[in-house]
Amino acid sequence: LNDNPSHYKITLSGTVKSPKINFDPPFLMLMPVPLDVKTETTINIIPQDYLRQSQIQVELPELKLEDGDRIYPFSVQFPEGQNIVLSSDGTNKELICHISFRSSRPVSFLGSMFFIDEEEN
């Protein structure tokens, strides 16, 4: 600073935003159906505050039946892909997710599906 011994103090402040996703609807109830008939619905995944591209993975629940057998009656599809993309205006594009259920055995279930990004959020 041109040999001037004055001291300058700079103060910086900011806010850290953690990436998160919301769901529309926020919870899901699939209607009862006859055995081996598929029921399905669509949800919107709404990413917020992602600053770079990430990909969503889904952990589907395993159901344990009364006889000890384990089944995976849920499936998911992302018809437009499962990448979270940052658009030119700084927002993240919503993702469409089809969730379906089919079982050849009688079962009911109350639990969670986990949607996880690449950083395991």
Side-chain angles (χ1 to χ4, degrees), residues 2-120:
N2 299 332
D3 298 322
N4 187 346
S6 299
H7 296 285
Y8 293 92
K9 182 178 180 180
I10 298 175
T11 303
L12 302 174
S13 64
T15 303
V16 176
K17 292 184 176 183
S18 296
K20 62 182 176 182
I21 56 177
N22 292 312
F23 300 91
D24 182 29
F27 65 92
L28 180 63
M29 184 181 346
L30 296 171
M31 300 309 294
V33 292
L35 294 178
D36 223 15
V37 172
K38 182 165 73 170
T39 181
E40 61 186 336
T41 193
T42 299
I43 63 169
N44 290 318
I45 299 173
I46 308 159
Q48 294 178 321
D49 301 323
Y50 279 84
L51 300 177
R52 62 179 183 264
Q53 182 171 313
S54 189
Q55 188 175 71
I56 296 291
Q57 300 295 323
V58 184
E59 288 183 5
L60 298 174
E62 172 188 71
L63 305 185
K64 185 175 180 181
L65 302 176
E66 289 179 2
D67 64 2
D69 285 351
R70 297 177 185 274
I71 61 171
Y72 293 88
F74 292 96
S75 63
V76 296
Q77 291 183 332
F78 293 86
E80 298 175 6
Q82 54 201 89
N83 289 330
I84 296 174
V85 179
L86 183 64
S87 65
S88 60
D89 65 359
T91 60
N92 300 121
K93 183 181 175 192
E94 290 185 9
L95 302 174
I96 296 171
C97 180
H98 296 299
I99 300 174
S100 64
F101 173 91
R102 180 188 305 222
S103 177
S104 59
R105 307 269 300 273
V107 65
S108 64
F109 170 76
L110 175 63
S112 300
M113 272 184 199
F114 294 98
F115 291 77
I116 303 166
D117 66 19
E118 289 178 351
E119 296 184 15
E120 298 186 7

